[in-house]
Amino acid sequence: MDKLKELFTKAVKSLECGACVAALVGAKDVAYLNKNWVLDAAAGLCSEFKVMPKDVCTGLVYSQGPVLIEAMMQASLLSGDGKYFCFQALGACPAPGVTSGSLTFPKPKPANATAPTHSGTLVDVLHLSDWHVDNEYVPGSEGDCNRPLCCRKYADSPLTPKRAASTWGDYKCDSPIKLGQDLLKHVPKVANPNFTILTGDIPPHDIWLQNKDSVIAVEEIAYSTMQAGLSSKVYPTVGNHETGPTNLFPTPSSGGDIKWLYNSLADDWSRWLPADATNSVKNYGAYTVTPAPGLRLISLNTNFCYTLNFYLYGNTKEYDPHGELKWLVAQLQKAEDAGERVWIISHVGPSQTDCLQNWSALYYQVIQRYSPHVIAEQFFGHTHYDEFALYYGPGAKSTQSAISTGWIGPSVAPYTNINPGFRIYKVDTKSWNVFDSETYIADLEKAAEWDAAGTTPNWHLEYSARKAYGAYVPIADNAPLSASWWHNVTTVFEKNDAAFQQYWTYRGKSANRQAACTAGGPCPKEIICNLRAGKSSDACTAIKFSVSKREDGNDTTVDEDDVSGLHSLYKREDYQPWNTKLCGLSSQL
């Protein structure tokens, strides 16, 4: 046990590749004798390092740890799997390179494949993401606590809070029920959605407590709230928080079973989906529907590329768990043959460093094959920020080669240090391309004023993408916000700091709580690179974690802005404070 603790300590404090692999090998060796010894060592170090309160350490280690141990016992740690995990999950090893190879498609891409013309008729589509409702939110409780999720009553909560939580929410908390309800009341005041897309994450960030019963209860209430508050159909996708314990989605080769989750989601979503789609959900969470004539919507479960889904590390050569990408290709080929347009929705965007590079590279090939003539748009969530990502054809990234846009929706939850928000898209009814993207927010800094005055949140239009960026890159009235246009916008960002700073403000939904992204420094270059990175291996944000010192001299303090969960063993290093992760497991330690 002491030797294992020594290996863990060296790996956590140095985050050197060899030390990381050695810790995994040591844990695997001990696990063959007694798996609980490994869990006890990890939980003990978490408490000793004072990363989190003991109950959080215990909950995280004993809910996430067993799956990680099983994966390491299946993996060939000294034949590359150890370095692969240490890179993808911790950034401790160099990138191993993409090894997933090339996909084979049913038919070659048609010559001169182009997007269809537009009808000139626009409809509204509502985009909700990262709902993260907290049914245990307590107004007046501590809004600046010592746990990953605040605004709750814990056993050690102070009688007099430093910052009392308002009834409408707090920047370090998930959404109280009434915030989501009020948002839904505002939607019909500004739009008449033809349908709604919901890109995942319903439960709160109490990831050390989440289990089957807790997530099912939260999801049932949340989906009922949406049904009551929206007149349109809602097309959801599976977020990493939808399961309990969070992030853990078994694959065919990993062992483990969460049929209970897919059956529960199929039941919840049956209020909006037809029978064939709900039956598809029961397989592994993916489905396809036709929201309108000529449009096929495909909802993917991208938790099978999520770096903190520890089931994925037992067999790293299983590049396409459940054959989901093969299924996606089949759906896209049907759409191409039928002359349909396609929207793809999922939670974790393949452009994000949270998506395994091998899976992301295969997905990118799919986008290149079926864009721009079949795939009209892509929509994701997970980051909580208001962002986008661009996909390109072969060759250099340019205006001419840009072929598809991934729209990353702003979160409803203010977690962490961002305003609550939602998007309305203005969409053509023939091409199904986006002609405008309007983001609405409420200024949560005024929450105490709303409580004092007995008023509701000040939901308002933050910006129209067409108007805000069209001022820099003029666009014809009959043209959509295409990937080529967005590429030109990123080119403006490189040359015009005022334009980039406007984007930076909108990215955080005008909360103005992000770290500065100063002209001439590394931040703007990194962010612009990420906007052009449709696959995670192209991203310029490094995967990096390290241990820091608290002011009181104790090891490892909590990164309160990094909010998702497994930091009981490590803390994300804020050497890039401008690009803090807000969701996952890695955001909470």
Side-chain angles (χ1 to χ4, degrees), residues 391-453:
Y391 294 72
Y392 299 83
K397 297 177 180 181
S398 67
T399 304
Q400 292 72 32
S401 65
I403 55 174
S404 188
T405 303
W407 303 82
I408 302 172
S411 63
V412 172
Y415 195 79
T416 299
N417 285 329
I418 50 179
N419 281 320
F422 64 92
R423 274 213 200 123
I424 298 293
Y425 299 110
K426 304 293 183 181
V427 183
D428 185 85
T429 56
K430 181 182 178 184
S431 67
W432 292 100
N433 286 127
V434 171
F435 272 65
D436 200 3
S437 170
E438 298 176 342
T439 298
Y440 290 81
I441 62 169
D443 297 315
L444 196 59
E445 64 180 8
K446 301 180 184 296
E449 298 175 22
W450 304 334
D451 282 343

Side-chain angles (χ1 to χ4, degrees), residues 2 67 126 146 151-152 216 233 375 427 440 455 461 469 508:
D2 290 341
V67 172
L126 171 64
N146 64 343
C151 299
R152 286 183 168 193
I216 286 178
K233 286 189 175 182
I375 298 170
V427 183
Y440 290 81
T455 56
L461 176 66
Y469 301 123

